[in-house]
Amino acid sequence: MRIAIYSFSFVLFTLIHCLIAQDQRPNIIFIMSDDHAQQAISAYSDQLIKTPNIDRIANEGIRFANSFVTNSICAPSRAVLLTGKYSHLNRLRDNRDTFDGSQMTFPKLLQEAGYQTAIAGKWHLKSDPTGFDEWRVLRGQGQYYNPTIRDSTGEKQVIGYVSDVITDLALDALENRDREKPFCLLVHHKAPHRNWMPDTKHLKEFSDINLPLPATFYDNYSGRESTAGTADMRIDDMYLSADMKLQPEDYDSETGTGGHLEWAKNAPGNWENSYQRMTEEQRTAWDAHYDEVNEAFRAANLSGKALLEWKYQRYVKDYLRCIRSVDDNVGRLLQYLDENGLADNTVVIYTSDQGFYLGEHGWYDKRFMYEESMRTPLVVRMPGQIHPGEVSQRLVSNLDWAPTILNFAGVAIPDDMQGQALQSLWGDSKSVDWRSSLYYHYYEYPHGWHTVKRHYGVRTDRYKLIHFYHDVDTWELFDLQADPAELKNLYNSAEHQEIVKELKDELKRLQAQFGDTNIEI
Ligand code: CA
């Protein structure tokens, strides 16, 4: 009898041990903000802001210095994340499209493999999330103050500042997780998306400094008149209401075009809704700051260059204040992992759905294949696999995120995913066999915002070739080594014809490789 009990206990012990061993698969936390430019993360550049918590991920893991997206706009980037496929194949080319949630996505594959999957925050794909055991997402673009949160049962307003609210939902998902399973949690911030409404506790930050103007702030678009020159995203045209947070007496005669006719018509109303959405306490704190600085603005009676540069300061400072909350909340998640013994077996990824213009070329917004918007931050921490403080110069993109996450989980990467797992670029397994060019394709024209013409192109370590099409037929070539700000279009330069030919061949090869050969003009 005793022997039987011992034998039974041994079998039970072995079984439990096997189950525990199976659970050693790493957890994954994927944090993605919205429109967070590399130049506003101190691990990339310390010109504008210190981001100690995002930097901590980079310092304890790897920073990708050359990280990009395939189509620099919100919803399409999210579809690329989920599917690991270019926009023409996941069928979400621009923000008007609805995501087809019946297609294969990495969360579905993780779920099938026994992972627990959850998303908190911005979704922005119109259809309901699929592949998640739990989803609690912002309605549409979401609001900065007291956002409406949707889940499978309906929606409700949650009082608080959006970055804190999203992190509360994420921490709640972690606290209530099924501890028998590894988890994959997506934390998608709204910030720092337009219209850059900071938390009241950060309103005073950056008040006493003048941010430096980017070198290309007064770009005259010479040699790029029909492309960069026709985009409607200049800081000069921002709204005094929603963008600048002035009061009705200041924007009664609003003239900014601000990117979109419909929004232009509704901008003051949209702004008043956002403002009225605050609780009395929030609005009192808000007014305590803006009433004073707006009064100073009125007294200065600015015009011309002085007014434009004032708009730049207000825009970028509010943007940075929003990032302050994102970074604080990244810190809260890292602290939770530390305090709960999860840090050693949890992958942490921080990225954005694309980059953004912070005054470069006189712009805000994204869309273009030019550097500031094609780039996106990417830092990854996984103790034991990634050495602290690694930096990779390889060309990587958001196409690689899904394969990388699946690879962490030990799940086979489907053949039709078009990215490459990044694991071969870090730690002891560094490989030299890596892509030498990236393919890009942007679609949202002539409908949509900001009048950025349709374009596709190829970027290598040194060069970028772009073809703008639809109602133009314009090529641009930039030598990123000689001209990193992309001011000089060399497409017609006699001495560059050889490189133009090589890049056109490479472009054709990439279009064939990724199946983007049937381009609608
Ligand atoms: Ca975005």
Side-chain angles (χ1 to χ4, degrees):
M1 180 66 181
R2 196 173 282 177
I3 290 170
I5 289 173
Y6 278 140
S7 306
F8 178 70
S9 302
F10 178 74
V11 169
L12 198 66
F13 174 81
T14 311
L15 249 172
I16 289 170
H17 188 76
C18 285
L19 281 172
I20 290 171
Q22 200 180 23
D23 282 356
Q24 293 308 303
R25 291 181 298 175
N27 306 304
I28 295 149
I29 294 189
F30 180 89
I31 311 168
M32 182 166 77
S33 51
D34 193 338
D35 297 356
H36 192 176
Q38 281 184 358
Q39 60 272 34
I41 293 180
S42 42
Y44 282 89
S45 162
D46 57 6
Q47 282 279 299
L48 294 174
I49 189 172
K50 291 267 183 253
T51 49
N53 295 296
I54 297 168
D55 289 11
R56 186 183 159 197
I57 302 171
N59 294 335
E60 295 174 4
I62 187 166
R63 176 174 69 89
F64 286 92
N66 290 303
S67 155
F68 298 89
V69 294
T70 62
N71 181 3
S72 179
I73 181 169
C74 304
S77 178
R78 287 153 205 273
V80 171
L81 158 68
L82 292 169
T83 62
K85 292 176 189 162
Y86 272 96
S87 306
H88 62 282
L89 294 181
N90 67 40
R91 303 182 300 284
L92 201 143
R93 291 181 176 82
D94 61 45
N95 278 344
R96 293 181 317 165
D97 294 333
T98 299
F99 185 67
D100 173 5
S102 71
Q103 62 189 308
M104 187 48 68
T105 62
F106 84 82
K108 287 185 186 176
L109 293 168
L110 289 181
Q111 240 181 353
E112 282 172 17
Y115 265 75
Q116 182 176 192
T117 59
I119 178 169
K122 188 164 175 180
W123 176 248
H124 197 224
L125 293 173
K126 295 186 180 159
S127 54
D128 279 350
T130 55
F132 296 96
D133 299 320
E134 183 189 308
W135 53 272
R136 287 190 279 176
V137 300
L138 297 172
R139 187 178 62 193
Q141 284 281 3
Q143 297 95 358
Y144 272 104
Y145 279 87
N146 313 323
T148 299
I149 301 294
R150 292 176 56 230
D151 64 18
S152 56
T153 63
E155 56 182 52
K156 64 169 184 181
Q157 187 179 14
V158 179
I159 299 300
Y161 184 70
V162 69
S163 310
D164 299 339
V165 168
I166 288 169
T167 306
D168 290 344
L169 295 174
L171 291 172
D172 186 62
L174 290 178
E175 267 301 286
N176 294 307
R177 72 188 190 276
D178 175 353
R179 285 161 203 250
E180 302 288 307
K181 292 177 169 181
F183 63 81
C184 175
L185 170 65
L186 276 53
V187 186
H188 288 191
H189 284 289
K190 171 186 174 59
H193 192 278
R194 194 181 189 183
N195 65 331
W196 317 290
M197 290 174 72
D199 190 346
T200 53
K201 69 182 175 193
H202 294 308
L203 286 173
K204 293 287 176 208
E205 288 185 48
F206 308 100
S207 287
D208 301 331
I209 55 164
N210 251 329
L211 299 171
L213 284 181
T216 59
F217 188 71
Y218 286 108
D219 188 357
N220 62 5
Y221 314 111
S222 164
R224 294 155 288 130
E225 290 84 355
S226 68
T227 57
T230 59
D232 181 4
M233 47 197 256
R234 298 183 196 178
I235 290 174
D236 219 2
D237 294 325
M238 281 179 151
Y239 294 111
L240 294 175
S241 53
D243 295 323
M244 297 290 117
K245 289 95 181 182
L246 287 156
Q247 289 301 331
E249 62 263 36
D250 306 300
Y251 58 75
D252 272 351
S253 55
E254 183 97 273
T255 54
T257 57
H260 192 267
L261 200 60
E262 197 57 31
W263 211 66
K265 216 167 50 197
N266 297 327
N270 287 341
W271 164 234
E272 279 149 31
N273 287 341
S274 306
Y275 178 74
Q276 292 305 334
R277 201 178 170 86
M278 294 184 201
T279 63
E280 205 180 320
E281 192 188 348
Q282 290 163 345
R283 207 175 313 123
T284 303
W286 181 275
D287 289 344
H289 170 74
Y290 282 104
D291 282 356
E292 190 186 329
V293 292
N294 288 350
E295 190 48 47
F297 166 72
R298 279 175 217 121
N301 197 22
L302 304 172
S303 62
K305 269 191 175 183
L307 176 60
L308 171 59
E309 292 184 13
W310 176 87
K311 285 183 177 179
Y312 163 77
Q313 296 290 334
R314 175 154 293 191
Y315 152 48
V316 179
K317 285 179 183 179
D318 280 348
Y319 177 94
L320 296 176
R321 291 164 182 146
C322 291
I323 287 169
R324 174 64 58 231
S325 290
V326 171
D327 189 67
D328 288 349
N329 278 292
V330 168
R332 286 176 70 204
L333 275 174
L334 294 179
Q335 191 182 350
Y336 181 90
L337 297 180
D338 289 338
E339 290 172 356
N340 290 274
L342 291 166
D344 284 346
N345 196 37
T346 301
V347 178
V348 180
I349 300 173
Y350 183 87
T351 188
S352 168
D353 61 347
Q354 30 34 229
F356 214 67
Y357 297 95
L358 301 178
E360 298 87 357
H361 305 288
W363 290 335
Y364 63 101
D365 213 70
K366 53 246 182 184
R367 297 158 195 275
F368 276 110
M369 196 187 164
Y370 303 135
E371 287 291 275
E372 292 82 356
S373 48
M374 186 184 178
R375 285 180 173 275
T376 202
L378 181 65
V379 293
V380 185
R381 184 182 81 174
M382 182 58 204
Q385 292 187 31
I386 303 173
H387 300 316
E390 290 192 56
V391 177
S392 174
Q393 301 293 335
R394 299 285 181 186
L395 298 173
V396 303
S397 88
N398 56 341
L399 209 56
D400 302 326
W401 299 344
T404 301
I405 292 169
L406 291 173
N407 208 23
F408 269 125
V411 175
I413 301 161
D415 289 342
D416 62 350
M417 278 197 178
Q418 298 179 307
Q420 289 172 253
L422 299 174
Q423 274 81 357
S424 62
L425 300 184
W426 61 59
D428 299 324
S429 59
K430 276 195 196 80
S431 144
V432 287
D433 182 23
W434 194 253
R435 67 169 73 91
S436 57
S437 64
L438 288 170
Y439 179 62
Y440 184 92
H441 198 159
Y442 171 81
Y443 301 85
E444 196 175 276
Y445 181 87
H447 51 268
W449 295 51
H450 301 295
T451 58
V452 172
K453 294 181 189 291
R454 292 187 198 189
H455 59 288
Y456 56 79
V458 55
R459 189 197 189 281
T460 66
D461 277 341
R462 175 154 181 193
Y463 292 102
K464 190 181 287 180
L465 180 74
I466 315 176
H467 184 214
F468 292 87
Y469 68 98
H470 188 71
D471 57 0
V472 284
D473 178 9
T474 306
W475 290 85
E476 292 181 354
L477 171 73
F478 299 100
D479 179 346
L480 300 169
Q481 198 173 300
D483 174 31
E486 300 166 304
L487 297 174
K488 239 180 134 172
N489 177 11
L490 301 170
Y491 183 74
N492 291 316
S493 139
E495 66 207 75
H496 289 87
Q497 290 317 295
E498 191 57 34
I499 188 71
V500 165
K501 189 186 167 307
E502 276 173 32
L503 289 169
K504 280 190 173 176
D505 288 348
E506 179 63 2
L507 192 55
K508 265 194 200 135
R509 189 191 70 76
L510 291 170
Q511 287 178 328
Q513 179 189 338
F514 295 121
D516 194 17
T517 49
N518 195 11
I519 295 168
E520 261 175 67
I521 302 297

